[in-house]
Amino acid sequence: AAKILQTDERDRMIEHLQESLKGLVSLQKTYERDATTKAKIDWLIDSVKESIKEYEIVSTEDINVFND
């Protein structure tokens, strides 16, 4: 995923990563009584969110903030 995020397919990969978060949250509920597995899923969710955040396109509103 990290390699694809650096290509022209970035937007598509971001969509897939966002969808994967839904599945990870469901999986987290399945393992809510297993602290070790839940912690690993928490880490994975945080990692996916950071990847998305790092490669999301900055909106025009965010750019305008620098022009003031």
Side-chain angles (χ1 to χ4, degrees), residues 9-44:
E9 295 294 317
R10 174 186 310 115
D11 293 338
R12 189 168 167 211
M13 180 53 69
I14 288 173
E15 287 178 32
H16 289 300
L17 288 171
Q18 289 170 333
E19 289 298 315
S20 75
L21 288 172
K22 295 175 187 176
L24 288 169
V25 169
S26 293
L27 194 60
Q28 191 179 45
K29 290 175 187 174
T30 301
Y31 290 99
E32 66 188 353
R33 294 183 185 198
D34 182 340
T36 302
T37 302
K38 186 177 179 302
K40 289 178 183 178
I41 297 169
D42 285 340
W43 176 85
L44 190 53

Side-chain angles (χ1 to χ4, degrees), residues 36-67:
T36 302
T37 302
K38 186 177 179 302
K40 289 178 183 178
I41 297 169
D42 285 340
W43 176 85
L44 190 53
I45 289 171
D46 290 343
S47 178
V48 170
K49 285 180 179 179
E50 282 298 314
S51 292
I52 292 170
K53 183 179 173 182
E54 184 176 336
Y55 287 98
E56 278 184 325
I57 297 173
V58 177
S59 73
T60 54
E61 289 176 7
D62 293 335
I63 292 172
N64 289 335
V65 110
F66 296 112
N67 292 331

